[in-house]
Amino acid sequence: FMSPDDSMIVTYKNCCEKGKSAYKIWAFDIKKGNFTKYEEGSGFIQGLTWKNDSKRFAYILLTIGICFPEYVDSTIYRMDRDGKNKKKLVFEKERKINSLGWSPDGTEIVFCDYGLDFVGYIKSVDPGTKKVRKIANMKDIDGKVDKKKPVIPSFVNWISVKGGG
């Protein structure tokens, strides 16, 4: 994932080691031409987003177990571009966060999740206060929840609406 200022690429690898999910995160500094390993651990990276000023990025880390979603917990972390100051912003027990995106003004990160209730949610978190806000859920939008065909929202990208109309 290329930083908005085109100076750095953050990449990750998900794999299975000794029967458990594992991940590694690296950064490639384009000017210096080198890779730096930021971290590794157990779990599975689901997605990553950069803040528009290229000073921070956020990512989703999932625990992976045998039966979904009982054994899937999701966490959103944010980290400085140098791999330091890692902070936990959101923890969702037995819910899968499947997508996220940092707002253009940097004041919130929108994410989508779902769990055993079969209701997909669109939420946001303030990276400064860690306060989570529920924006909408698929039951409110669609009027029902079909457990045989649940609708799972995914965040794709921010759009700009100019001109007020």
Side-chain angles (χ1 to χ4, degrees), residues 23-47:
Y23 73 94
K24 294 178 184 176
I25 299 175
W26 294 276
F28 180 72
D29 186 313
I30 293 171
K31 288 182 183 177
K32 294 179 183 175
N34 65 336
F35 276 98
T36 303
K37 184 169 71 170
Y38 279 0
E39 71 174 34
E40 61 184 307
S42 63
F44 183 89
I45 302 287
Q46 179 69 22

Side-chain angles (χ1 to χ4, degrees), residues 46-66:
Q46 179 69 22
L48 188 142
T49 183
W50 277 94
K51 189 174 178 185
N52 273 353
D53 64 7
S54 299
K55 293 181 180 178
R56 292 187 170 147
F57 62 92
Y59 62 94
I60 304 164
L61 180 63
L62 305 177
T63 61
I64 303 295
I66 297 170

